[in-house]
Amino acid sequence: MHLAYPAVLSALLFCTGVYGVLARRNAILVLMSVELMLNAVNLNLVAFDVWLSRAAEETLHSGQALALFTIAIAAAEIGIGLAIVLAVYRNRGSSDIDRLRDTAEGHDPDDPDSDTTGRAIPAPAAGEKAEATA
């Protein structure tokens, strides 16, 4: 089998993963897209390892060892990522990335009518004095 076949398949998998990271709003689907990209890298590592081992007649198989290391990193990433997503979902009720970004930003620092929580400060009534806050 030629090296071009796994390389093209790997490029397609990686492009699909990049599209998923850029286009999806759900955090779990973004994690799945990152997994697609890591699997594309694993496919390239193994394919080039096999191709180079035939050319150089070596039995070190460093590409396959790197692929196993990448699989271990991916397992840790998905475990920690899912734990974070579940914790955020319990607290916020949504795993939508746009809503999480809005939550992280809080409020507009240039807006004088909002406090540190991002809520608007109510204007004093017509007959009341505004209290000075220190």
Side-chain angles (χ1 to χ4, degrees):
M1 181 165 63
H2 294 287
L3 183 62
Y5 297 130
V8 168
L9 179 62
S10 175
L12 288 174
L13 277 174
F14 194 84
C15 290
T16 304
V18 168
Y19 172 75
V21 166
L22 295 176
R24 298 295 175 198
R25 297 183 190 271
N26 191 343
I28 295 175
L29 293 178
V30 170
L31 286 174
M32 289 174 60
S33 298
V34 170
E35 290 295 323
L36 271 178
M37 292 190 300
L38 289 172
N39 285 330
V41 170
N42 286 340
L43 182 61
N44 259 341
L45 284 171
V46 172
F48 277 98
D49 179 53
V50 169
W51 183 66
L52 288 174
S53 68
R54 285 184 194 164
E57 294 184 13
E58 66 178 42
T59 58
L60 188 58
H61 298 298
S62 58
Q64 293 179 15
L66 283 173
L68 286 174
F69 182 70
T70 307
I71 290 170
I73 295 293
E77 174 257 337
I78 201 70
I80 292 172
L82 280 176
I84 291 170
V85 168
L86 287 174
V88 168
Y89 183 77
R90 284 183 190 151
N91 289 334
R92 302 286 178 201
S94 173
S95 63
D96 187 13
I97 293 176
D98 289 335
R99 288 186 187 170
L100 298 178
R101 186 180 311 130
D102 293 340
T103 304
E105 291 171 1
H107 70 285
D108 186 14
D110 297 330
D111 186 12
D113 292 333
S114 66
D115 62 0
T116 58
T117 61
R119 295 179 297 208
I121 300 171
E128 297 177 6
K129 291 182 181 179
E131 294 180 11
T133 56

